[in-house]
Amino acid sequence: MSLSLSTSVKLSRLQSAVSHGAEQSILIVVDDGAARALLSQYIAEIGGFNLETAGSHAEAMVLMQRNPQRFFCAVVDYSLPDAPHGEAVQSLGAAGLSSIVLTDSVEARVLDKLRSQHIVDYVLKNGVHQIEHVAYLIGRLRENRAKKILVVDDSRSYRAYLTALLERYFYSTFQAEDGVAAMEVLAEHPDLTLVITDINMPRLDGFGLIAELRQHYRREDLAIIGVSDNSQAGMSARILKTGGNDFLPKQFEQEEFYCRVTQNTNMIGYVRQIRDSANVDFLTGVYNRRHLFDIGGKLYANARRGNIHLAASLIDADHFKSINDTHGHQVGDLALQAIARSLTDTLRTGDVVARYGGEEFVCLAVMKQPGDAGLVFERVRRDIEHLCLEVSGTRIPITVSLGVTTVLDDSFEAMLRRTDEAVYLAKKGGRNRVVEG
């Protein structure tokens, strides 16, 4: 059975970036062979996971005996021939593995039992669209690992309760006991996605915290959910008017909690994606030329003030026209993507990697000492030389010529011109080398 075009497009949006580490596995425990195959097909569409399947509780336990840490999560049928009353769900939870449970029962006793287990969510088995939803949910869980959420409450037990709920959905969580402590966490983690805050707290209460946060973050930059056990009329409206995005009573249903958290984190994620699309090169995923000059100008100014040692490098792919002419432009695109991945993997997280144009990239790196630049970019050259791009059984060598400088000159543009002149010398000298200018 093939996936519909709309389903394929929807799931492909959740595809992970190429990872050089070991992929985690998804454990599928379903006794119906057709359903198991369809689940596997849907999950394979989002990519980035190994799939391991079992048709019974016993088979699942055999798979769990060997390094259970390899599993990201499980998809398990509540009722299996050898575990008709959710025993498999309980066993996986006891082993520390989070599960998405398939069930055809909506009885209150079954749902209450599921809520008490170590599960991510339950999905009713009432159509193919629900199997699609399972795959979509797994992709979202993977994305959640990069989303930071701060829980603010003066009750340690309530903070722990909310944190445990969030960690079931793989969010990265932080805690603070009041508004003052929350602002300290924000100073260390300015890329938070969501703040969930109690209203009644000592020192700086929820209203004060929301007002303070809105001095630094707009609603589309940071979502805030206010939580209160105060049944006073107008409480939710006051939270929203103060600057909150949403409101929850302290006594809430878990499904409503997850729904509101997902809606708010998704909203922030969509805004960030739109902003990133303006700064990122579509083909390679690194910064584009426009953003390079924006951030490069700021780094250059900081270097001119003597605060940092800045190194700039222009990286030009060798014989790139020959790759395109011999193997086609699609292979040329793969080569550019491989170079971009190597650059981002080799350099530090805080360094800047941008596509300058065509087959050229620019890297900006902050050095401890100016003399380190040659060594750093020699490692970059060597790592690219060792790339293995293979198409239809043919290995395609990839090398680059690099021009490097730490000389600031009188402008950022002049600094780049110096790297361009050094690249010319690297090409003239035989390519696949670093020349400092």
Side-chain angles (χ1 to χ4, degrees):
M1 178 179 179
S2 60
L3 306 185
S4 68
L5 179 60
S6 60
T7 294
S8 182
V9 169
K10 179 181 179 182
L11 296 180
S12 66
R13 290 172 182 161
L14 296 169
Q15 287 176 351
S16 64
V18 176
S19 172
H20 297 286
E23 293 181 343
Q24 287 188 282
S25 294
I26 303 295
L27 176 59
I28 301 173
V29 190
V30 178
D31 64 310
D32 184 317
R36 198 163 60 238
L38 188 58
L39 261 172
S40 298
Q41 190 176 4
Y42 275 111
I43 297 171
E45 189 71 20
I46 65 175
F49 291 112
N50 296 316
L51 302 178
E52 300 184 41
T53 63
S56 67
H57 182 198
E59 290 178 6
M61 291 302 99
V62 170
L63 291 174
M64 287 291 291
Q65 288 174 3
R66 179 179 59 84
N67 184 25
Q69 287 73 31
R70 72 186 185 277
F71 291 113
F72 177 73
C73 70
V75 181
V76 55
D77 200 328
Y78 178 82
S79 180
L80 295 163
D82 60 344
H85 304 297
E87 293 89 346
V89 178
Q90 188 171 0
S91 295
L92 294 176
L97 184 59
S98 297
S99 296
I100 300 169
V101 181
L102 304 176
T103 178
D104 54 10
S105 175
V106 291
E107 294 181 21
R109 62 176 182 81
V110 172
L111 298 185
D112 287 343
K113 185 176 180 180
L114 287 174
R115 292 187 186 102
S116 67
Q117 300 291 328
H118 190 80
I119 71 165
V120 174
D121 205 351
Y122 62 87
V123 176
L124 297 178
K125 296 190 294 183
N126 59 3
V128 172
H129 67 285
Q130 291 291 62
I131 294 180
E132 176 191 329
H133 178 67
V134 171
Y136 189 74
L137 180 56
I138 290 172
R140 284 297 180 192
L141 293 178
R142 179 172 57 198
E143 290 187 349
N144 286 351
R145 293 183 296 186
K147 296 176 181 177
K148 299 180 179 180
I149 299 181
L150 172 61
V151 177
V152 190
D153 199 295
D154 57 328
S155 167
R156 181 180 297 177
S157 60
Y158 198 73
R159 286 201 312 270
Y161 170 63
L162 293 184
T163 299
L165 290 179
L166 292 168
E167 288 178 348
R168 284 190 193 178
Y169 269 64
F170 297 87
Y171 291 107
S172 178
T173 60
F174 303 85
Q175 297 184 33
E177 61 188 13
D178 56 33
V180 174
M183 293 305 298
E184 294 173 355
V185 174
L186 261 295
E188 294 183 16
H189 302 278
D191 56 342
L192 282 168
T193 299
L194 170 65
V195 173
I196 303 175
T197 180
D198 185 22
I199 295 303
N200 301 308
M201 297 181 296
R203 296 205 292 175
L204 182 62
D205 67 9
F207 289 121
L209 174 60
I210 294 172
E212 181 68 22
L213 289 173
R214 287 298 172 238
Q215 296 297 316
H216 306 278
Y217 297 89
R218 295 175 297 181
R219 291 175 189 262
E220 61 268 29
D221 297 324
L222 175 69
I224 304 172
I225 299 178
V227 181
S228 177
D229 56 4
N230 191 332
S231 58
Q232 177 182 350
M235 175 59 71
S236 61
R238 186 180 173 192
I239 289 173
L240 297 175
K241 289 293 185 181
T242 304
N245 297 71
D246 211 340
F247 167 77
L248 266 175
K250 281 209 165 182
Q251 301 298 322
F252 54 74
E253 294 289 339
Q254 288 187 16
E255 287 87 347
E256 180 184 7
F257 173 78
Y258 286 128
C259 181
R260 291 186 183 276
V261 168
T262 299
Q263 287 176 345
N264 281 279
T265 55
N266 281 353
M267 183 271 291
I268 300 299
Y270 295 146
V271 171
R272 289 178 179 176
Q273 286 176 7
I274 292 170
R275 287 177 179 167
D276 285 347
S277 67
N279 297 328
V280 172
D281 176 61
F282 177 78
L283 175 65
T284 60
V286 299
Y287 289 127
N288 58 24
R289 185 187 180 104
R290 186 187 69 82
H291 190 64
L292 168 68
F293 279 92
D294 181 24
I295 196 169
K298 295 173 183 176
L299 286 171
Y300 176 83
N302 205 12
R304 290 288 294 183
R305 289 192 292 268
N307 296 327
I308 60 173
H309 298 296
L310 181 65
S313 176
L314 180 64
I315 297 100
D316 193 327
D318 294 330
H319 304 294
F320 187 71
K321 184 177 184 301
S322 176
I323 293 176
N324 278 336
D325 291 346
T326 305
H327 304 283
H329 287 276
Q330 287 185 333
V331 175
D333 289 348
L334 291 176
L336 293 176
Q337 291 167 345
I339 292 171
R341 284 197 300 273
S342 182
L343 291 172
T344 54
D345 288 347
T346 305
L347 295 170
R348 296 168 302 181
T349 304
D351 294 333
V352 176
V353 178
R355 188 178 179 194
Y356 195 55
E359 65 271 26
E360 294 179 325
F361 296 84
V362 166
C363 295
L364 305 177
V366 176
M367 300 284 109
K368 290 184 179 179
Q369 299 295 332
D372 295 340
L375 296 174
V376 169
F377 286 100
E378 173 58 27
R379 186 172 69 248
V380 167
R381 182 205 64 77
R382 186 174 62 249
D383 288 353
I384 291 174
E385 183 182 28
H386 292 155
L387 289 174
C388 181
L389 181 61
E390 195 168 303
V391 178
S392 301
T394 301
R395 186 184 184 281
I396 301 170
I398 300 176
T399 63
V400 292
S401 298
L402 297 91
V404 178
T405 190
T406 56
V407 179
L408 297 179
D409 281 318
D410 57 358
S411 68
F412 178 59
E413 290 78 5
M415 197 176 185
L416 291 182
R417 283 196 296 272
R418 186 178 286 270
T419 65
D420 190 34
E421 292 166 0
V423 165
Y424 173 78
L425 294 176
K427 296 283 188 182
K428 188 176 180 180
R431 297 181 171 86
N432 190 24
R433 63 191 60 212
V434 178
V435 172
E436 296 188 54

